[in-house]
Amino acid sequence: KPLVFSGVQPTGNLHLGNYLGAIKKFVALQEQSDCIYCVVDLHSLTAQLVHQDLGDQTRSITAAFLASGIDPKKHIVFNQSRVMQHAELAWIFNCVARIGWMYRMTQFKDKAGKDRENASLGLLAYPSLMAADILLYRATHVPVGEDQKQHLELTRDIAQKFNNDFSEKIAALGVGVEMQVGEETVNGYFPITEPVIGGPAARIMSLRDGSKKMSKSDPSDLSRINLTDDADTISKKIRKAKTDPEPLPSELDGLESRPEAENLVGIYAGLAEISKADVLKEYGGQQFSVFKPALADLAVEKLAPIASEMRRIEGDRAYVDAVLKDGGERARAIAEGTMKTVRDIIGLLQD
Ligand code: ATP
Ligand code: MG
């Protein structure tokens, strides 16, 4: 049975990109897999150490998971810092991974900006902690947005290097498993994780700038549609979204070099659960003055029930805290099992 892991940082308001690119997939994967969904609070410290309300942000992401339909009884929902094994395995992976691997990450380059020497060491090591999150549960599948693809490739590299570096010890302890990686059959302790990326909404762009992804941490609120925006705000943001003056094309290749138009079509497709080509079948030849209100109505129809359920759940803080505590306990039990083996593989003495 596949084991799914993914995480969301408590860095601000969840937006349509997080929902369509990640959370909607989390919900769908629950049917056939065991899933672990984590609010990655330790990750949120990499960009900004001091947060006004880290606890409430963490609860709010948890409420969004639950409101979207994640079942915390059948699956596991918790916040990362509760399970200290994440930090422990990340340290080991800091010593497996090479500094050069980290410097090549586009997220590091984007988030560190020009003053790279002044970025936190944590921001550089972010992918190492992410690999630990995933491999601690020996997850096989990780649903994420397109922006995390490079980090998942690094996770595979870390797993592979660990498996190679310790191959003799893994064999001696008898803790390796055979797995199929592409054409090859390899043996190792950590699985080579498959990314689950795709569909029309894997990379939702900013509503203000078709070359930047929609982000929680973008200073402009007009750049994103928050899950909790009310109907008027959603309509206003879509109305103000940057576009070109041409009507929508009828064919997909007509969207090439029209990133803003392509983005709005992708959002529609993601919300309606159809392909971009099908959106164009319906709206090809139409002006944005027709398409934008239709998109706004669809967004309100899909998001309003989640937002109101989210508010209801957020109001019951004791329930949210109980979910995180229970999820944390169950996650910790799995994580400690992995770490016991990892400590043995490495040769660290333990009780
Ligand atoms: P931040 O700006 O703080 O990094 P974020 O919006 O990128 O915030 P994350 O918590 O880093 O959010 O990512 C949570 C999940 O949402 C990840 O799987 C990520 O790939 C996905 N995601 C983020 N932005 C988008 C987007 N614009 N389109 C599709 N998926 C996205
Ligand atoms: Mg991000």
Side-chain angles (χ1 to χ4, degrees):
K1 199 173 181 186
L3 201 144
V4 172
F5 179 95
S6 197
V8 174
Q9 302 188 70
T11 39
N13 281 326
L14 282 173
H15 54 78
L16 204 52
N18 301 132
Y19 179 65
L20 294 177
I23 297 173
K24 208 164 174 324
K25 292 199 187 122
F26 298 178
V27 177
L29 285 163
Q30 295 183 108
E31 297 296 320
Q32 297 116 16
S33 323
D34 289 325
C35 304
I36 303 179
Y37 296 129
C38 186
V39 185
V40 287
D41 47 10
L42 295 175
H43 274 282
S44 75
L45 307 181
T46 60
Q48 187 190 335
L49 179 60
V50 183
H51 286 252
Q52 278 296 326
D53 47 10
L54 187 55
D56 283 341
Q57 292 274 18
T58 301
R59 292 185 181 103
S60 160
I61 307 283
T62 308
F65 283 178
L66 304 176
S68 303
I70 291 169
D71 181 342
K73 289 212 173 71
K74 288 205 188 106
H75 304 278
I76 295 180
V77 173
F78 74 109
N79 61 303
Q80 186 186 29
S81 61
R82 273 203 147 84
V83 180
M84 65 187 180
Q85 286 82 353
H86 286 251
E88 186 183 3
L89 187 57
W91 179 257
I92 307 284
F93 287 167
N94 281 344
C95 302
V96 173
R98 308 288 90 184
I99 299 173
W101 299 3
M102 301 292 159
Y103 275 126
R104 280 197 287 279
M105 295 295 110
T106 58
Q107 178 175 290
F108 174 70
K109 292 184 205 167
D110 290 346
K111 291 201 172 181
K114 287 205 174 69
D115 193 8
R116 197 176 289 184
E117 295 299 305
N118 220 358
S120 76
L121 188 52
L123 189 66
L124 182 64
Y126 182 112
S128 196
L129 178 58
M130 179 163 159
D133 298 340
I134 295 164
L135 296 175
L136 203 43
Y137 304 97
R138 300 209 281 162
T140 54
H141 293 77
V142 182
V144 283
E146 175 83 38
D147 63 298
Q148 292 301 317
K149 191 169 179 216
Q150 198 184 27
H151 287 166
L152 286 184
E153 278 158 14
L154 194 71
T155 299
R156 292 163 67 96
D157 292 342
I158 288 176
Q160 222 141 20
K161 185 165 188 302
F162 183 95
N163 289 343
N164 285 336
D165 290 354
F166 291 105
S167 59
E168 283 174 23
K169 199 66 187 288
I170 291 168
L173 290 168
V175 293
V177 287
E178 298 253 294
M179 38 194 159
Q180 197 70 27
V181 180
E183 312 274 270
E184 262 181 289
T185 309
V186 297
N187 191 288
Y189 180 64
F190 286 121
I192 309 303
T193 306
E194 287 297 330
V196 183
I197 304 174
R203 185 176 180 80
I204 301 293
M205 308 309 282
S206 156
L207 298 179
R208 309 301 294 167
D209 178 350
S211 70
K212 272 197 339 205
K213 83 167 189 79
M214 192 177 279
S215 266
K216 283 193 236 100
S217 49
D218 191 312
S220 164
D221 195 55
L222 281 176
S223 72
R224 65 181 159 262
I225 294 173
N226 301 308
L227 277 192
T228 50
D229 281 343
D230 61 26
D232 286 347
T233 309
I234 291 176
S235 298
K236 186 184 83 183
K237 286 178 176 176
I238 291 179
R239 198 167 60 240
K240 291 196 166 191
K242 195 177 156 203
T243 42
D244 53 48
E246 301 298 318
L248 283 175
S250 307
E251 305 282 338
L252 270 184
D253 50 14
L255 285 175
E256 265 165 40
S257 68
R258 295 179 64 187
E260 288 87 7
E262 177 163 25
N263 189 38
L264 296 185
V265 171
I267 292 174
Y268 193 105
L271 286 168
E273 300 182 30
I274 57 178
S275 68
K276 287 186 197 177
D278 283 339
V279 178
L280 295 181
K281 264 187 209 139
E282 200 174 335
Y283 289 99
Q286 302 273 19
Q287 299 290 343
F288 282 105
S289 57
V290 175
F291 181 63
K292 280 182 167 180
L295 176 59
D297 286 349
L298 179 64
V300 170
E301 179 197 320
K302 298 287 181 183
L303 299 185
I306 298 173
S308 75
E309 181 65 359
M310 206 179 137
R311 246 172 255 120
R312 188 189 68 76
I313 294 170
E314 270 179 317
D316 192 350
R317 184 195 269 218
Y319 170 66
V320 174
D321 287 351
V323 164
L324 293 173
K325 181 166 188 287
D326 171 64
E329 279 162 12
R330 289 188 287 142
R332 197 177 301 121
I334 304 170
E336 179 53 19
T338 302
M339 281 317 299
K340 278 213 163 72
T341 305
V342 170
R343 293 180 206 116
D344 278 346
I345 290 171
I346 294 175
L348 298 165
L349 299 182
Q350 60 183 325
D351 298 338

